[in-house]
Amino acid sequence: MTNNRNIKKEIDVKLHDEVLRDALGRFVDQYSDARLKAYANVDSIEDLRDSLKEMKQETVAHIEEIADEFEASVKQKGGQFYRAKDGDAVKKYLLKICQENNVQRIVKSKSMASEEIHLNKFLIDNGLYVKETDLGEWMLSVAGQRPSHMIMPAIHLNRQQCADFFSQELKEKVPDDIDFMIHKAREVLRDEFLQADMGLTGANFGIAENGAIGLVTNEGNARLTTTLPRIHVILIGYEKLIPKIEDAAKILRLLPRNGTCQRMTSYMTMVAGPTPVIRKVNGNWIEEDRQVHVILLDNGRLKSAHDPKFKEVYQCVRCASCLNVCPIWTLVGGHVYGHIYSGGIGVILTGLLNSMEDFNKISELCIGCRKCVSICPGKINIPDLIEELRAQNVKNNGLSLPLKVVVQDILANRKIFHTLLRIASIAQKPVQTGNVIRHLPLFFAKLTNGRSLPAIADEPLRDRVSKLLEKNPPAPVKRVAFFSGCNIDFVFPKTGQSVIRVLQDLNMEVVFPEQQNCCGKPVLGMGDRETAKNIAKNNVIVFEEAVVDVILCACPTCAETWHKTYLELFADDQEWADRVRKITAKVYEFTSFVAEAYERADRLIKTKGSKKVTYHDSCHMNRGLGIFQQPRQLLNAAVDYELVEMKNCDKCCGMAGAFGMKYSEISLPILKEKIENIKASGADTVAVACPACMMQIQGGLDQQASEIKIKHIADIIAEHLE
Amino acid sequence: MKKVCSDWTKIFSEEFVNPIFWNDFELNAKAAHTEIIKVSNFEEAQMTISDIIRSTKAKSIVAVGNEESTKIANIYNNLYNLDVQIYTDKFAIAENAPTADIGISIAEFAVGETGSVCVDCYSYESRVVGMLPPVHIVFLNCNNIVKNMTTAFKVISQGFKNGYMGFITGPSRTADIERVLSLGVHGPSRFIIIAVDVPAIGGVN
């Protein structure tokens, strides 16, 4: 729709929108606790999520049969049924119903799908009178704005702005008193309901077993829309279908809790077939059956249903909780996503239901922190689906030229890549101060605004190892290959030294295969799977040749890439899949590996220390690998240190690979919040187990709290090994 | 009056419905701004309704449920003595619901985990009494409580073929302006449950 969008500029406007920032800030502070409170009386959130996920997976696997059954049930009850392949088909059908039944006034409730196909504009252009009845959506339609959130459409507005829209619509001065506005809206919209000929609703679910649709609202507008007008039209997407009446409970135990932090919304309404309506005709009250039309919308949904990866979007119940915890959405709100659906799931739905061009504009607005995955009722792997869309896009359209040079000619070629890094270490000298770059000239300056960038080390780890490996124990219990990853090799070689020291202290022999390359994650992030495969193959070969018991990563992203992504890359290649499976069985993450070894050696003894240390959970470590206890065990056992927790310890630091550089305007406010939480913890050291987080947080500390040190857990442990 | 299921109590069994969930229900319903008044018989229920009429200065009431329960029909009959109009005919309800002060209907059962009541409102009149007036009162047999939505839908799946039904959990609300909770945006601003303690499994009768 708007392909000449300047997304950077739009983000900038939102970042400077004080009303928005204030509203989102307050909301985010309350959401997580309120959500958990709503779940406090269920036995297991996980069980509920699993049962929803399984039901939805089972449904999408048989979507055609379920749709057929739904159609048969609707018809059997006396409803009209129509399958619309796209928005145009919906419009044509709907206009026909309006004309045949002399419909002039329409009230609407709960239909994102109608937004998706820009239905209102079409109806109005065709002379129909259309009113949204959800208070937020009604205000936005007056203002000519789009919803910025699926459940809280007007969260970006304050009461003064709302009052202005009321005044504009009602042509009278409306004070910015919330109660007054609500009662004014009740009066105005009540008339709309009573006069309407047609009620148009979406559906939270459609039940194949009996043809019923379900609607969840707090205002009760859906209940009025389905009760007062003489015609009811339901616009429902395939993804909303469920097989059985009992399956509705699986949605209803999660949707209100995740969406609005309620155990149930005020109204939960189900309609199966025509129901009576009483109205006045020629001065007499009559009772008749309401006309019911069900329009089942495809618009890209069936294609997704048959895609092995994208069928996962059928697990979405549109609770919008992925927005509520997204570090990006909670900073910039929903409008920058451009289309109808915003946040992580919105990026995906935009690509699947709207256009890949629109997707491209916003495909990078996911930091990959996986916080959304941890709370999604349907357990959708949102960042993975976004990455999959990026990959399909690159496969079809290729990388843009500058990226192509970087990725295919530089990153894929270890020698060139490493040579360039060495040149960078010399070239950065004029702007370097100690281990960081505090200011960059000219237009790069924004990158260092509130954050210093790390300097490339004078001497990479690979040049230091031969000396370090001389200290290998004579009779080792294990032979361990260290996969350092780029950050440890070239930015934090001292952390690499600590890792080696800790392993040697455990009586393990360390080897460092010099032909190892980047794990490939940055390349995958850009969607270039073919190059990533080449990089992966190189690493597999190199580590096979090393003949070791263990391959150790001190970077969770590298570990996750080995474990998860390499397997996915070669899913269609039996030979390589087998090789990858065999070699990745040896790959371990540093803190979990060491914690287990210490446990066995009775070295995980809690100590008291004078230095306060707080721990930042890396997203890839915590939600990617599920490792959060072991780093804390190691810190509790570290001599001289005492662990204190900070607020939101598991919230992303804003780095997320290249994202932190490309979208520094978003990355820096996220970092600032992290630094504030670190400061408030009272710690004098912040510990991390991820070199990318270390890079980001070190940069923020350098400029905002230089008295606080940052250390990788390997560095902390190594301090006390002779 | 048209209903989705002519007798929901036939579906109830101890496996589904049990008064032990009352405390959960009461707690959750109150948290959702539902007002609950527990009474031990229909005479007390009538006094309660009279009190509400007086305190709200109601002049006009639309009500359903008299066809299903003679006891409720009696209450409505006795209310004629107060200075209030009560409409129970479906066309009269349709005509007067938009201006009525109070609507009264019946709930089939309640849900402990969420504080919701299940309403069977196939008929038009049973829907408008609950949506158009600013106060909605429902009768509930306080023994008919299910544990959670999973059990609620086990019951529903046995009775729901056609029609219109659902749950009400508190009054109509919005938080669309600055996330400030406001009641009564489209529907009632007060939702009052009169829970009658009628021993033995069974409907409001």
Side-chain angles (χ1 to χ4, degrees), chain A residues 534-562:
Chain A
N534 291 334
I535 292 175
K537 281 181 181 174
N538 169 77
N539 284 334
V540 169
I541 294 168
V542 168
F543 281 84
E544 279 173 350
E545 285 168 359
V547 195
V548 291
D549 306 306
V550 170
I551 299 164
L552 196 76
C553 303
C555 166
T557 308
C558 297
E560 197 190 14
T561 304
W562 273 91

Side-chain angles (χ1 to χ4, degrees), chain A residues 26-27 30 41-42 77 133-136 139 152-155 157-160 162 178-179 181-183 186 189-190 193-194 210 212 218-221 223-224 226-228 245-246 248-249 252-253 257 262-272 274-278 280 285-287 290, chain B residues 2 27-28 32 90-91 94-98 112-114 116 119 121-128 130-134 147-151 153-154 156-158 160-189:
Chain A
R26 272 182 294 127
F27 169 61
Q30 296 158 6
N41 67 342
V42 304
K77 316 275 167 204
T133 60
D134 172 270
L135 178 66
M139 290 190 300
M152 304 174 292
I155 190 172
L157 301 174
N158 65 12
R159 68 183 77 191
Q160 289 80 17
C162 294
I178 294 180
D179 254 357
M181 285 190 271
I182 301 290
H183 285 95
R186 179 184 170 99
L189 287 166
R190 176 60 65 85
F193 285 119
L194 290 168
N210 69 343
N218 270 313
E219 297 183 1
N221 54 323
R223 211 168 166 81
L224 286 167
T226 53
T227 290
L228 297 172
I245 295 170
E246 286 187 36
L252 292 171
R253 293 186 77 184
R257 287 181 163 106
Q262 289 172 287
R263 290 183 176 160
M264 185 53 60
T265 53
S266 292
Y267 299 100
M268 194 286 117
T269 293
M270 292 183 287
V271 194
T275 53
V277 58
I278 295 177
K280 218 171 195 169
W285 287 99
I286 58 149
E287 182 171 29
R290 186 192 326 274
Chain B
K2 205 164 185 176
L27 192 77
N28 286 310
K90 62 185 174 186
F91 293 125
E95 174 132 28
N96 291 289
E113 182 190 283
T114 60
S116 313
V119 287
C121 37
Y122 203 161
S123 77
Y124 178 85
E125 58 274 24
S126 65
R127 271 173 271 147
V128 290
M131 284 311 291
L132 298 181
K147 185 174 185 211
N148 55 32
M149 276 293 160
T150 307
T151 13
F153 271 84
K154 283 187 177 150
I156 289 171
S157 73
Q158 291 184 36
F160 186 28
K161 306 279 182 295
N162 299 340
Y164 198 116
M165 65 177 302
F167 295 93
I168 302 178
T169 315
S172 160
R173 77 190 75 208
T174 187
D176 271 350
I177 304 177
E178 291 190 357
R179 291 177 49 250
V180 174
L181 176 69
S182 318
L183 302 179
V185 56
H186 289 302
S189 53

Side-chain angles (χ1 to χ4, degrees), chain A residues 41-108:
Chain A
N41 67 342
V42 304
D43 294 337
S44 158
I45 306 179
E46 282 312 292
D47 288 353
L48 293 179
R49 294 172 75 210
D50 284 334
S51 89
L52 174 65
K53 176 183 164 183
E54 282 158 25
M55 184 270 286
K56 289 285 214 165
Q57 283 180 334
E58 185 62 21
T59 307
V60 71
H62 301 97
I63 191 67
E64 309 283 2
E65 294 137 66
I66 304 266
D68 288 346
E69 190 189 344
F70 180 60
E71 174 173 358
S73 297
V74 170
K75 285 178 172 166
Q76 194 240 325
K77 316 275 167 204
Q80 310 285 313
F81 194 91
Y82 176 68
R83 293 192 195 218
K85 74 172 182 346
D86 56 19
D88 283 344
V90 173
K91 290 170 187 167
K92 225 171 124 186
Y93 180 76
L94 197 52
L95 194 59
K96 196 174 110 239
I97 302 173
C98 291
Q99 285 162 350
E100 284 172 2
N101 294 283
N102 190 26
V103 169
Q104 274 143 24
R105 303 177 75 102
I106 302 176
V107 282
K108 285 183 66 200

